[in-house]
Amino acid sequence: MAQHGMDPTAPLTGEPTKKTRRKLAKEMRTQLIGFGFMIFLTTMAFISIASDEIPSGFAIPFILLLACIQVVLQLYIFMHLNERGNGWQNIMIWTAVLIAIPTVASLMLLLGIVKY
Amino acid sequence: MADQHVQTLPPSPEKATLEGKNKYLGFWLFLGGETVLFASLFGTYLGLRGSTVDGPGPSELFHLPLVFIMTMILLTSSLTSVFAIISMKKGNYKGLLAWMTATVLLGATFLGLEIYEFVEYVEHGLGFTTSAFGSSFYTLVGTHGAHVAFGIAWITTLIIRYRKSGLTLTNAPKFYVAVLYWHFIDVVWVFIFSVVYLMGIGG
C-alpha cells in the first residue's frame, strides 16, 4: 500500500468526510450502549454473589455465564472483531479459546482432583 | 516538495499502510498466545484454590466493595481508550492524547488499589509461599497486574514520544494496537473478578 510520494511520518491533515463522521457518531452510540450493558452485567454478577437470597448453586453458573457474555461483548464491540475484514483476527482468537478450554479443564483435573 | 509531506486523513488511519495492517493482524496472534497463557494460570488456580493448608482462604480475605471499585475503574479506562480511538479517527490528535492520558491515570489507580490489596493480604497472613492457593492466586492476579503495569508504561511512552508529532500513518497503528492490548487486559479481568473473587466469596 505504500504508494510513491506517501510519507508515513507526515502529520495527517484535513477533516474526515461526512460519511466517516456519520459512521463515527453511530459507532460512539454503539460503544456507549455496549459500555452500559457491561456495567449492568458486572453489577448483576456482584449482586448475585453479595445477596444472601440467591443460593450459590445458582449464582456460580450464573456469574460464569455473565462473564462469557461480557467477554464476547468486549471482543466484538470494544475490540471491533465484528467489523468487516477481521476474519483472520477472529480465527486467531477463537483458536486460542479452543486451546484454552482443554488447558483449563485438564489443569483443574490434574491439579485439583488427581493431585499427582 | 512541500505538498508531498502532507497526507490527508483516511477513514481508518491505523490500517492505511501495509505496516499498520500487519501490526493489527500480528497483534491478534499475540493476543491468542496471551489467552492461552492466562488459561494455564486460571487452570492452575482453579486446581489449587482449595489447598489453603493453615493459611487464610479466599472467603476470609476477599472484600467485594474493593473488587467492585477496581472492576469499574478498569472498565471505565477501557471506555476512555475507546474515546481515544474515536478522537483519532476524527483527526483530533489532542483528544487522542487526552483520552490516552485519562486511560493511563485510571490504569495507575487500578494498579495502586491492587498493590494495596496485596499488602493487605500479606498482613492477613497470605504470603506467596503460604499455601498452593496463595502461590496460584498471586501468580494469576500478579501476572494480570504486570500486564496493567506494562500497558501503562507502553501508553505513557507513546504519549511522550509522539507528544508533538501530530497524527501520522506511523503512529496511528501504534496507538491502536496499544488500545487493543488495554481492552485485552480488561477482558482477562472479567474472568478474574468472576472466577477468583466472586467464586472465592460465593462458594
Side-chain angles (χ1 to χ4, degrees):
Chain A
M1 276 280 276
Q3 294 117 354
H4 280 293
M6 185 160 142
D7 181 5
T9 58
L12 295 169
T13 52
E15 295 286 305
T17 58
K18 252 198 173 136
K19 197 181 150 203
T20 312
R21 276 194 179 282
R22 260 204 303 278
K23 225 184 111 192
L24 286 174
K26 202 179 147 209
E27 159 128 356
M28 188 73 159
R29 259 199 317 278
T30 318
Q31 300 285 350
L32 283 173
I33 293 167
F35 178 73
F37 208 61
M38 287 172 203
I39 294 275
F40 172 71
L41 290 175
T42 306
T43 313
M44 289 277 283
F46 275 87
I47 287 173
S48 67
I49 291 296
S51 146
D52 296 327
E53 311 275 301
I54 300 163
S56 65
F58 170 78
I60 300 288
F62 182 62
I63 60 164
L64 290 179
L65 178 72
L66 289 184
C68 291
I69 296 172
Q70 193 175 337
V71 161
V72 170
L73 279 181
Q74 296 231 358
L75 288 173
Y76 282 85
I77 296 178
F78 277 2
M79 296 170 85
H80 307 287
L81 270 184
N82 57 344
E83 282 174 13
R84 285 175 136 269
N86 277 347
W88 279 107
Q89 282 78 357
N90 269 284
I91 289 172
M92 278 161 186
I93 201 77
W94 289 112
T95 308
V97 171
L98 211 66
I99 300 169
I101 292 167
T103 306
V104 172
S106 56
L107 279 166
M108 282 175 77
L109 289 172
L110 288 172
L111 294 172
I113 294 168
V114 183
K115 301 284 186 196
Y116 304 109
Chain B
M1 198 59 192
D3 290 352
Q4 264 192 347
H5 292 282
V6 173
Q7 294 280 333
T8 46
L9 181 74
S12 293
E14 78 279 5
K15 282 175 251 176
T17 60
L18 181 62
E19 189 191 341
K21 278 183 187 157
N22 287 343
K23 271 199 178 119
Y24 182 60
L25 181 64
F27 200 75
W28 275 100
L29 180 62
F30 165 72
L31 289 183
E34 291 273 283
T35 305
V36 179
L37 163 73
F38 276 104
S40 65
L41 295 177
F42 271 109
T44 311
Y45 173 79
L46 285 169
L48 297 174
R49 75 191 180 115
S51 316
T52 49
V53 205
D54 300 325
S59 51
E60 298 150 56
L61 290 169
F62 300 156
H63 292 291
L64 276 184
L66 180 68
V67 182
F68 186 72
I69 292 167
M70 286 167 77
T71 305
M72 287 303 158
I73 288 174
L74 204 61
L75 200 57
T76 311
S77 80
S78 232
L79 184 74
T80 54
S81 65
V82 163
F83 289 160
I85 291 303
I86 290 181
S87 297
M88 181 185 92
K89 288 186 175 176
K90 280 181 181 161
N92 177 3
Y93 192 67
K94 279 213 174 97
L96 168 67
L97 292 184
W99 284 118
M100 285 305 236
T101 310
T103 307
V104 165
L105 292 177
L106 285 167
T109 314
F110 174 87
L111 199 64
L113 286 174
E114 190 161 281
I115 292 167
Y116 161 78
E117 185 199 358
F118 280 10
V119 170
E120 192 92 319
Y121 295 162
V122 170
E123 277 172 6
H124 279 79
L126 185 79
F128 192 84
T129 52
T130 306
S131 61
F133 159 68
S135 309
S136 58
F137 168 77
Y138 283 126
T139 309
L140 171 58
V141 183
T143 305
H144 177 267
H147 277 74
V148 175
F150 185 80
I152 291 171
W154 181 0
I155 296 176
T156 310
T157 311
L158 283 178
I159 293 171
I160 293 172
R161 181 177 171 192
Y162 290 116
R163 69 194 178 281
K164 282 178 187 153
S165 72
L167 185 65
T168 67
L169 292 177
T170 312
N171 64 24
K174 297 187 187 200
F175 280 109
Y176 195 86
V177 156
V179 166
L180 275 183
Y181 182 78
W182 196 261
H183 288 317
F184 184 76
I185 289 173
D186 199 22
V187 166
V188 174
W189 182 256
V190 170
F191 278 120
I192 290 186
F193 84 69
S194 301
V195 170
V196 177
Y197 292 98
L198 293 183
M199 274 170 67
I201 291 169

